[in-house]
Amino acid sequence: MNAQALEITDKAANKVRQLRESEGNPDLMLRVYVTGGGCSGFSYGFNFAESINEDDAKFENGDVAMLVDSLSYQYLVGSKVDYVEGLEGSRFIIDNPNATTTCGCGSSFSI
C-alpha cells in the first residue's frame, strides 16, 4: 500500500456496490472531496460520479473506484474511507491522519 494513497475499505466498497445496483448503474464511482466550512474548518463530502475528471486520482477496491480531485487529495493523503452503521445512522466516514482536530460529528476537520 502506497503511503500517499487513499484506501477504500471492503465495507465501503460493498456499500458502493449496493448503491450501484439500486441505481442500476454499474459505472458509478464514489467521489470524496473536501470543502471549506464546517465546525472545524473543512468538511468532507461524498457523491457519485460517472466519469473521471482530468485532475482526479483513482483508488480501487476490487471493481469499485473512488475518485479524489487534486485539491482535496492534499488534505486526504493517507486517509481511509470506511462505511459505518450505528446509532447515528449509516454513513461513509474518513479516518484522516492529517486532521489535527475533528468535530464531534466527524464530518469536519482542521489541519
Side-chain angles (χ1 to χ4, degrees), residues 45-97:
F46 302 93
N47 62 25
F48 285 96
E50 291 185 82
S51 59
I52 300 173
N53 297 331
E54 195 173 294
D55 72 332
D56 284 340
K58 181 179 177 183
F59 306 95
E60 297 176 306
N61 179 327
D63 63 337
V64 171
M66 176 175 67
L67 305 175
V68 179
D69 65 84
S70 59
L71 185 61
S72 298
Y73 180 82
Q74 63 187 324
Y75 299 109
L76 296 171
V77 168
S79 294
K80 183 188 300 186
V81 176
D82 199 4
Y83 184 76
V84 295
E85 296 179 24
L87 295 175
E88 294 134 13
S90 305
R91 59 194 169 112
F92 289 101
I93 60 165
I94 296 180
D95 178 10
N96 186 343

Side-chain angles (χ1 to χ4, degrees), residues 1-81:
M1 172 90 187
N2 178 348
Q4 300 296 304
L6 277 72
E7 179 185 348
I8 179 169
T9 66
D10 291 343
K11 283 175 63 175
N14 287 335
K15 185 59 180 179
V16 172
R17 284 185 195 98
Q18 290 173 5
L19 293 168
R20 283 191 321 207
E21 284 178 25
S22 68
E23 291 290 318
N25 187 346
D27 297 328
L28 289 179
M29 296 170 275
L30 180 65
R31 177 173 295 284
V32 179
Y33 58 93
V34 172
T35 59
C39 329
S40 299
F42 294 101
S43 293
Y44 300 118
F46 302 93
N47 62 25
F48 285 96
E50 291 185 82
S51 59
I52 300 173
N53 297 331
E54 195 173 294
D55 72 332
D56 284 340
K58 181 179 177 183
F59 306 95
E60 297 176 306
N61 179 327
D63 63 337
V64 171
M66 176 175 67
L67 305 175
V68 179
D69 65 84
S70 59
L71 185 61
S72 298
Y73 180 82
Q74 63 187 324
Y75 299 109
L76 296 171
V77 168
S79 294
K80 183 188 300 186
V81 176

